Amino acid sequence: MSIEIRGIGKRFGNFVALDDIQLDIPTGELVALLGPSGCGKTTLLRIIAGMETADSGQVLFSGAEATHLHARERKVGFVFQHYALFRHMSVFENVAFGLRVKPRKERPPEAEIRRRVMDLLKLVQLDWLAERYPSQLSGGQRQRIALARALAVEPEVLLLDEPFGALDTKVRKELRRWLRRLHDEMHISSVFVTHDQEEALEVADRVVVMNRGKIEQIGTPDEVYSNPATPFVYQFLGNVNVFHSRVHGAWAEIGRAGAEGGAVPEGSPAHGDAMAFVRPHDIDIERSPVAGGLESSVQDVHAIGPVVRVELAHGSELIEVELTRERATELALAKGQQVWLRPRQVKVFAAPTQPLEEGGSGI
Amino acid sequence: MSATGSLSVRKATAEPRWVRWTLTAVGLGFLFFFLGLPLLAVFVEAFAAGMPKYLEALADPEARSAIWLTLFVALFVLPFNVIFGVAAAWAIAKFEFRGKSLLVTLIDLPFAVSPVVAGLVFILIFGAQGVFGPWLAAHDIKVVFALPGIIIATLFITFPFVARELIPLMQAQGKDEEEAAVSLGATGWQMFRRVTLPNIKWGLLYGVILANARAMGEFGAVSVVSGHIRGETNTLPLHVEILYNEYNQVGAFASASVLALLALVTLVAKTVVEWRMRKETETLDAALPPEKTE
């Protein structure tokens, strides 16, 4: 089932949660709604599920009007951030719930319910926990039961609200790979909400980056990471160095000191205040002066797993650079050393009228 | 932390022996004088003239009528309390709406208003000179100084108990489970019966027990509206007062002992429910086993 969102708007008092959202989710796609908390992503998900009503706009399911359809008639499976398992029911009864509440005519016989529930529990690899209660399960197990429960009614759309938010890193990584596999096997459309960019980039077919009730960019994980449409997306997806520059024709003066930076890509604002974005791994360090290099001094060197993070100062600006271990060994940097920086890839945006939101954590 | 650390902690929290003994004695003494002794006195006075007199006092038609009336009113009020309490708690805990804090305040009103005043209010509304008085008289309906008046007054006095008990419980549980039920296709009634009700059942029962205890023991409001018609509108607490004022010691205390017994039964039921509630929340909120990765 495809989902179309047409001009959806929602306010809570004076707070604009969603502002004229347009989004198409084709059948079979796994879409991530990514953004900082308060960006409206969960509200959008709940509007799709029918648990929240939009102030304006339309929701279409397979091209048919569904804006005012009751949540129970939407054939949508919803997985909650905190699982929302029925605490007084066994795991088996939790999964069976959707089948048991069906109108008498559609309700499958007991044996059929048993078979289907056990099949689902096998699918989530937890059939051995059927008689347990939710309180006796770990977080990861609860989340998989919640998923099995949502799948029991054979939904055409699966909606997941921060599905892995409350789990620890290792379980989270496992579960998201598992979700990806499950999605491919079930042939359904899935939408999941997350504030974790790594999760969105790894699992989703398409990523919808949201900020302040608006969509900033829609694209494949590679598109949004390599070619961010807005400064917000640049900052939210991975670490980035921001240089406040004044654009003169084809060159950007990076930094307040006015040293020369990289070439300005086409389509960038020609004049006026601008900001240049460079990812830490898109900067190279040279020990000797190079043309167009930015002179700076090494402040600190940290080896973090596979990469070496170097903090440098250029005037009063702090610049972060990520090197491979090999390159770091080659350079043998010491604190206080003078080096020259050469950005490999720069993206310039006109300076925003509003201050940027805090970016996400680094990859 | 070393052994000395834990030793110093123990020292800091433990009071000297004489302080502990004094505090315990004060607590137990208070309990004995204000709760134990009166209860004992009720039974001693009731049986002062012997068992036959005691039974005779209870066999008195007026005493019987008072007992039945009290039980009937308590039972009659019960379903109303359940329905109103659950509905109000549901609305307050699960929805946001204008005037919500006003509703919360109104629910507490019967706790804040003196029962006698509450009874007078119903006289003003339904009495002969009251707002609906002439209309009721014209249709030959008796509210004040009759059973309906007693029921209305009791309802007013007891309705906060269930709601008060359920509101914090339902607020703590949130509405995730209900939303999950609806997204799985449950109708409103199925959601309530299969998800909400099992989650609140012990809280509900607790509230009902408290409301019931109050309904049986209520004096002030009922006294104003009942009219004290012997054998007709006399509830057990009113009956006790009448007998006492007539210097019928044995009769008064025999009836009082019935009330005390009802209270004891309530207390036991309350303790059992509390114990079940705690046990259930303990198992449901049991510490999570460590995260397992396969």
Side-chain angles (χ1 to χ4, degrees), chain B residues 45-46 48 243-244 246-255:
Chain B
E45 288 287 341
L243 291 178
Y244 187 78
E246 291 171 348
Y247 303 105
N248 183 348
Q249 288 284 65
V250 171
F253 279 101
S255 296

Side-chain angles (χ1 to χ4, degrees), chain A residues 122-136:
Chain A
K122 280 191 194 102
L123 180 74
V124 299
Q125 297 151 12
L126 290 176
D127 47 324
W128 52 286
L129 289 176
E131 299 311 316
R132 297 270 191 97
Y133 280 82
S135 59
Q136 298 167 308

Side-chain angles (χ1 to χ4, degrees), chain A residues 46 51 70-72 76 78 80 82 84-89 97-98 100-102 125 128 135-142 144 149-150 153 167-168 170-171 174, chain B residues 172-188 190-191 193-196 198-199 201 280 283-294:
Chain A
R46 289 173 60 85
M51 289 172 192
H70 193 277
R72 105 179 124 251
V76 153
F78 200 97
F80 293 80
H82 298 293
L85 293 176
F86 305 127
R87 66 193 95 183
H88 62 280
M89 291 183 204
F97 185 88
R100 292 203 194 282
V101 296
K102 276 181 192 279
Q125 297 151 12
W128 52 286
S135 59
Q136 298 167 308
L137 308 181
S138 71
Q141 289 167 343
R142 288 180 201 188
R144 281 189 278 168
R149 183 179 68 177
V153 289
L167 304 172
D168 64 40
K170 200 176 166 209
V171 180
E174 243 179 50
Chain B
Q173 288 174 349
K175 49 185 183 184
D176 273 11
E177 286 184 46
E178 276 84 5
E179 284 181 339
V182 169
S183 81
L184 289 167
T187 60
Q190 284 173 323
M191 171 188 74
R193 199 173 60 82
R194 288 168 178 262
V195 177
T196 310
N199 278 343
K201 62 177 181 232
E280 199 142 303
T283 45
L284 290 180
D285 301 337
L288 283 184
E291 204 68 47
K292 223 192 205 164
T293 49
E294 288 99 72

Side-chain angles (χ1 to χ4, degrees), chain A residues 101-349:
Chain A
V101 296
K102 276 181 192 279
R104 201 170 294 259
K105 275 185 220 154
E106 301 165 31
R107 197 184 309 156
E110 188 59 36
E112 169 76 4
I113 291 180
R114 222 186 151 82
R115 191 187 60 75
R116 273 168 69 176
V117 171
M118 288 320 284
D119 281 353
L120 279 162
L121 287 176
K122 280 191 194 102
L123 180 74
V124 299
Q125 297 151 12
L126 290 176
D127 47 324
W128 52 286
L129 289 176
E131 299 311 316
R132 297 270 191 97
Y133 280 82
S135 59
Q136 298 167 308
L137 308 181
S138 71
Q141 289 167 343
R142 288 180 201 188
Q143 192 57 293
R144 281 189 278 168
I145 296 301
L147 209 58
R149 183 179 68 177
L151 292 173
V153 289
E154 296 174 335
E156 294 175 57
V157 175
L158 190 59
L159 304 174
L160 306 104
D161 183 9
E162 300 264 7
F164 315 120
L167 304 172
D168 64 40
T169 324
K170 200 176 166 209
V171 180
R172 197 185 305 180
K173 281 197 168 170
E174 243 179 50
L175 266 186
R176 67 190 185 215
R177 252 171 250 143
W178 178 81
L179 173 70
R180 178 72 239 190
R181 270 205 312 277
L182 194 78
H183 168 86
D184 293 336
E185 282 167 24
M186 305 286 295
H187 306 291
I188 50 175
S189 312
S190 307
V191 182
F192 76 100
V193 156
T194 180
H195 62 267
D196 180 344
Q197 20 111 3
E198 189 185 336
E199 198 167 288
L201 296 180
E202 183 183 326
V203 178
D205 295 316
R206 273 202 309 160
V207 178
V208 178
V209 186
M210 295 182 65
N211 184 31
R212 293 182 176 171
K214 290 192 177 215
I215 293 179
E216 296 268 336
Q217 190 175 5
I218 304 175
T220 63
D222 190 45
E223 273 165 21
V224 291
Y225 186 77
S226 327
N227 203 5
T230 65
F232 173 81
V233 179
Y234 223 117
Q235 290 207 310
F236 196 72
L237 292 175
N239 280 349
V240 73
N241 292 298
V242 184
F243 298 97
H244 300 274
S245 69
R246 189 159 274 279
V247 180
H248 294 303
W251 290 89
E253 276 179 2
I254 290 179
R256 290 187 199 104
E260 286 168 315
V264 176
E266 269 180 58
S268 299
H271 292 283
D273 282 334
M275 300 167 90
F277 290 81
V278 188
R279 296 246 188 249
H281 55 78
D282 280 336
I283 297 178
D284 206 7
I285 298 182
E286 299 289 348
R287 295 182 63 119
S288 49
V290 284
L294 202 64
E295 189 178 353
S296 42
S297 61
V298 177
Q299 299 285 301
D300 230 329
V301 183
H302 309 280
I304 303 166
V307 298
V308 176
R309 187 169 294 163
V310 186
E311 280 171 21
L312 304 116
H314 170 70
S316 60
E317 304 232 17
L318 208 65
I319 301 169
E320 223 177 78
V321 176
E322 270 174 25
L323 302 172
T324 59
R325 277 184 172 273
E326 293 75 27
R327 182 73 183 137
T329 328
E330 218 175 283
L331 287 166
L333 296 172
K335 272 188 198 176
Q337 192 179 349
Q338 285 300 112
V339 291
W340 283 262
L341 303 183
R342 211 173 40 186
R344 278 191 291 264
Q345 202 188 1
V346 184
K347 182 136 178 148
V348 179
F349 294 99

Side-chain angles (χ1 to χ4, degrees), chain B residues 126-168:
Chain B
F126 300 111
Q129 268 78 46
V131 183
F132 298 114
W135 186 86
L136 288 169
H139 290 80
D140 202 22
I141 303 170
K142 286 193 79 175
V143 174
V144 164
F145 308 139
L147 186 60
I150 297 175
I151 287 172
I152 291 170
T154 309
L155 260 180
F156 178 83
I157 294 300
T158 54
F159 83 43
F161 287 97
V162 173
R164 271 279 135 214
E165 194 59 42
L166 290 184
I167 289 168

Side-chain angles (χ1 to χ4, degrees), chain B residues 225-270:
Chain B
V225 294
S226 93
H228 304 263
I229 306 168
R230 289 194 180 196
E232 274 182 44
T233 65
N234 227 12
T235 63
L236 209 39
L238 302 183
H239 188 63
V240 171
E241 194 215 14
I242 289 179
L243 291 178
Y244 187 78
N245 287 343
E246 291 171 348
Y247 303 105
N248 183 348
Q249 288 284 65
V250 171
F253 279 101
S255 296
S257 74
V258 173
L259 268 179
L261 275 177
L262 286 173
L264 286 176
V265 168
T266 307
L267 213 64
V268 170
K270 179 176 151 290

